[in-house]
Amino acid sequence: MNIIEKINEKFPSDLTVEDIEDKYPPRPEGQIVTRIAPSPTGMMHIGSVYAALISERVAHMQDGVFILRIEDTDTKREVEGATDIIINGLKNFGIEADEGAISRTEETGDYGPYTQSQRRDIYIAYIKKLIEQGDAYPCFCTPEEIDDIREKQTKQGMRTGYYGDWAKYRNAPKEIIQENIDNDKPFVIRLKSSGKHFNKRMFEDVLKGKRNLPENDSDVVIMKATGLPTYHFAHAVDDHLMGTTHVIRGDEWLSSLPLHVQLFETLGWTPPHFAHISPIEIMDDGNRRKLSKRKDPEASVTFYEEKGYAKEAVIEYLMNLANSTFEAFRVENPDKSVWEFPFDLQKMGRSGALLDLVKLDSMSRDYIGRLSAEEVYAQLADWASLMDRDLYERMQANKEYFINIFKIERENVERVRKDFVNWSTIWGEIDYFFDDVFPPIDGYVEKETELSSDVVKGFISDFIESYDDTADNETWFATMKDLAITHKFAKNGKLYKKEPENYNGTIADAAKILRVALTGKAQTPDLYSMMQTMGKERVVERLKLSL
Ligand code: GLU
């Protein structure tokens, strides 16, 4: 039995390379095809969303195809449910794949399966082809032997790896190989590398430019003992068969480029274009460093979900990290969707983009500021249904009231009020509209306004008498102003400054009495609009609490 027969025995399949090539015909000439190829290892990194967004844009800006491929060949690292986290995560961010996994069990597209563990027979067909070509061979080294090689190399100050004379089974005598096959010894399949480490070769990366890198001389494992391929091999096979034209991925893979190009070439294929994205960085104690899965909560998309950043706001922010021209686009096109921005891969910076949460906050404020009151309600309710059930239930029970609160300084105003940073902060900004939360504290109005109890109470009780909630803003203000004047508040600041001893303050101070009495806060949105939203009954009741 030779090694091919051994593979057939262990991993039976009749699938041939010819069958496969027939099944996956080349894509139409000139069509752009990109993909995101995450591994289901648990958390979803914001960097994956960033790479997915860039890949999706490159395809969809040019009527191309964007694929979602699940790279689950590393079964040791796989985490239950992680595939759904990826699929739903991307969908939630509005990043839609044309082909690929839709759920753990469903997929769409003609170039599948799109989950690597379901493609084993495909890889095996190519593994056998490489063995027949003389470009791959079995290696029977035990893990201990591999460790031993590494130790020896380290001791001798040499580069570690399975290459050159260290590649024990590369040139092993036929009889030894046969003996191992006959004894059913576990094996992996390795690439017989033709590269020379001292040879440098120029690689062209779409983002990094020309890179002079040493050829790969390592006989890397391409098929594991389980019959599953390694990432490197699966990447070459899949991206060839799926017709990927642009591999856009994190630059941690840049050093593997010589190996990947070698694999494509050994298989007889033209490599796709590669674009290696610099990682997202953060400032740590004055130094820039890569966002870390372990150290930084903001590396995970759950951070943004929990804080309640609108998905679209996060996408806008990532778009801005990718192309700094996005900001100008947003200013010029306040009503356009982020998906209308003319993203340009060439305009991405070569070095890492810096994650700046203050900037994200400001973009998020702007985003919420552009929504209608009804949209704020709907998106907040969606978020609260998952993250804050009390708020969600309160919203269900008081839908109109909430929408009216969101209308304040949002509709019919020149500049929309931007006090909502993200969904998780909204409740804290509006809770005083609700009677069970509004806490009247004895003497609070006097303290906050620095006015005597007589002045406060006198003004409030007359205001209650005169309050007409059907009056328009101007009329209401004129009435309030007249009333304030009779309560010895100066018409304007100038008058007050001249003779402060004769006044209790200005009209603004009188308004402050009402504001504090109604909300318990010195800073609030427009007083008239708030009173309209609260309704006369609530306004009067609250004012009476300060008498
Ligand atoms: N599965 C690899 C990862 O999660 C994908 C790398 C690639 O895009 O080629 O890093």
Side-chain angles (χ1 to χ4, degrees):
M1 186 182 273
N2 66 21
I3 187 64
I4 302 243
E5 287 161 344
K6 190 76 193 171
I7 292 176
N8 286 340
E9 181 193 89
K10 285 180 87 110
F11 315 111
S13 158
D14 315 325
L15 197 63
T16 67
V17 162
E18 291 70 32
D19 298 336
I20 302 167
E21 301 270 336
D22 278 352
K23 190 177 162 227
Y24 301 99
R27 303 265 184 185
E29 183 73 30
Q31 185 173 56
I32 302 285
V33 181
T34 66
R35 86 309 187 259
I36 182 81
S39 299
T41 52
M43 63 100 88
M44 187 150 173
H45 197 287
I46 191 72
S48 306
V49 180
Y50 185 56
L53 173 66
I54 293 163
S55 302
E56 186 275 349
R57 285 292 80 201
V58 168
H60 288 162
M61 295 283 304
Q62 303 171 78
D63 279 336
V65 176
F66 172 58
I67 300 171
L68 168 58
R69 182 170 74 224
I70 303 295
E71 302 212 327
D72 60 347
T73 57
D74 194 350
T75 40
K76 273 185 239 124
R77 287 174 64 216
E78 188 166 351
V79 172
E80 180 81 20
T83 301
D84 291 326
I85 294 180
I86 295 166
I87 295 171
N88 298 332
L90 290 178
K91 212 183 287 165
N92 270 341
F93 280 110
I95 302 174
E96 300 266 359
D98 308 291
E99 294 178 14
I102 300 177
S103 72
R104 192 81 189 90
T105 49
E106 285 167 291
E107 59 175 37
T108 176
D110 296 332
Y111 290 78
Y114 296 89
T115 297
Q116 288 184 333
S117 57
Q118 294 164 26
R119 296 171 64 81
R120 196 180 71 180
D121 291 353
I122 297 175
Y123 307 121
I124 287 184
Y126 286 101
I127 291 284
K128 289 191 276 193
K129 178 184 150 140
L130 286 189
I131 297 174
E132 276 162 5
Q133 255 174 231
D135 287 320
Y137 64 91
C139 164
F140 300 89
C141 281
T142 60
E144 294 73 38
E145 279 178 284
I146 297 290
D147 286 347
D148 191 45
I149 293 174
R150 191 179 312 114
E151 246 169 58
K152 283 195 182 124
Q153 288 168 329
T154 311
K155 244 188 223 147
Q156 294 175 30
M158 296 184 75
R159 193 159 50 86
T160 57
Y162 198 91
Y163 61 88
D165 292 340
W166 296 101
K168 180 171 169 193
Y169 283 93
R170 182 182 171 117
N171 298 312
K174 278 207 180 78
E175 312 77 68
I176 301 270
I177 293 182
Q178 195 58 51
E179 199 185 305
N180 281 313
I181 294 176
D182 294 344
N183 290 339
D184 210 18
K185 201 166 168 204
F187 62 89
V188 299
I189 301 295
R190 289 185 178 271
L191 172 76
K192 191 184 262 181
S193 175
S194 54
K196 301 274 172 287
H197 191 67
F198 50 79
N199 274 352
K200 288 226 171 164
R201 180 171 160 183
M202 196 67 90
F203 295 91
E204 179 92 43
D205 184 274
V206 178
L207 291 172
K208 306 270 175 187
K210 286 193 176 18
R211 285 294 169 111
N212 210 10
L213 301 173
E215 288 179 358
N216 169 61
D217 66 345
S218 173
D219 285 1
V220 293
V221 173
I222 52 179
M223 189 190 95
K224 300 183 236 183
T226 54
L228 280 175
T230 54
Y231 156 69
H232 306 295
F233 188 70
H235 147 55
V237 171
D238 291 348
D239 282 319
H240 166 71
L241 293 177
M242 294 179 186
T244 306
T245 57
H246 293 72
V247 170
I248 300 168
R249 61 185 178 188
D251 70 1
E252 67 272 25
W253 296 110
L254 187 63
S255 59
S256 304
L257 191 54
L259 165 63
H260 293 172
V261 169
Q262 181 185 28
L263 284 168
F264 273 92
E265 291 174 348
T266 310
L267 286 155
W269 304 326
T270 311
H273 298 288
F274 287 91
H276 287 96
I277 309 170
S278 302
I280 297 178
E281 296 177 340
I282 57 159
M283 270 323 224
D284 183 3
D285 243 352
N287 297 312
R288 279 176 90 124
R289 66 162 172 79
K290 204 172 140 175
L291 200 56
S292 146
K293 231 197 256 205
R294 269 165 297 112
K295 280 192 247 165
D296 309 312
E298 56 270 54
S300 167
V301 297
T302 51
F303 171 84
Y304 305 88
E305 284 163 6
E306 281 159 19
K307 292 257 177 211
Y309 287 102
K311 305 286 178 285
E312 195 148 341
V314 175
I315 289 296
E316 293 221 354
Y317 179 69
L318 293 178
M319 196 70 100
N320 193 53
L321 277 188
N323 270 185
S324 55
T325 47
F326 178 76
E327 209 160 2
F329 163 87
R330 179 43 80 216
V331 172
E332 278 162 35
N333 306 283
D335 300 323
K336 283 197 177 163
S337 142
V338 61
W339 304 105
E340 289 175 77
F341 170 65
F343 171 76
D344 185 349
L345 186 61
Q346 304 296 340
K347 286 205 184 117
M348 280 189 69
R350 286 198 178 188
S351 54
L354 192 65
L355 184 72
D356 172 0
L357 293 180
V358 176
K359 180 79 192 161
L360 170 63
D361 279 354
S362 128
M363 292 184 76
S364 181
R365 275 177 203 274
D366 287 348
Y367 170 76
I368 299 177
R370 289 194 299 275
L371 301 178
S372 70
E374 286 79 7
E375 286 167 331
V376 175
Y377 178 87
Q379 294 199 30
L380 176 61
D382 274 353
W383 175 82
S385 72
L386 299 172
M387 299 291 175
D388 187 343
R389 289 304 294 186
D390 287 350
L391 175 58
Y392 179 70
E393 271 146 37
R394 190 187 284 271
M395 289 180 78
Q396 297 294 93
N398 301 278
K399 180 167 177 182
E400 258 199 53
Y401 192 36
F402 268 92
I403 291 178
N404 286 334
I405 293 169
F406 298 145
K407 280 185 182 162
I408 297 173
E409 289 190 60
R410 178 173 300 272
E411 289 186 355
N412 310 318
V413 284
E414 249 168 65
R415 292 189 66 182
V416 173
R417 189 180 175 90
K418 301 212 174 128
D419 47 355
F420 301 156
V421 179
N422 52 43
W423 308 134
S424 70
T425 62
I426 291 186
W427 174 243
E429 297 285 343
I430 63 166
D431 57 357
Y432 58 82
F433 279 94
F434 293 83
D435 298 336
D436 59 319
V437 181
F438 169 68
I441 304 168
D442 244 7
Y444 183 69
V445 182
E446 285 81 354
K447 192 167 162 250
E448 192 62 37
T449 56
E450 294 177 17
L451 290 166
S452 73
S453 191
D454 282 354
V455 173
V456 166
K457 290 183 174 155
F459 180 67
I460 290 183
S461 58
D462 278 0
F463 179 85
I464 295 173
E465 286 295 302
S466 73
Y467 182 49
D468 172 9
D469 69 328
T470 61
D472 63 21
N473 196 343
E474 239 168 77
T475 316
W476 169 80
F477 186 72
T479 314
M480 194 274 290
K481 187 171 167 185
D482 287 346
L483 188 68
I485 292 168
T486 64
H487 281 264
K488 292 181 78 186
F489 287 92
K491 216 176 358 201
N492 54 47
K494 211 162 140 198
L495 210 59
Y496 174 69
K497 256 191 206 144
K498 244 201 229 153
E499 311 168 331
E501 65 286 355
N502 291 337
Y503 293 103
N504 290 319
T506 63
I507 303 294
D509 295 312
K512 190 173 177 185
I513 297 178
L514 300 176
R515 186 184 304 281
V516 177
L518 285 170
T519 67
K521 293 186 175 206
Q523 302 278 331
T524 71
D526 177 60
L527 186 54
Y528 173 79
S529 311
M530 272 192 336
M531 291 167 73
Q532 288 288 305
T533 303
M534 287 181 175
K536 180 160 183 173
E537 206 181 314
R538 182 180 273 119
V539 165
V540 170
E541 256 172 42
R542 288 194 178 190
L543 290 177
K544 278 185 179 164
L545 293 170
S546 298
L547 290 181

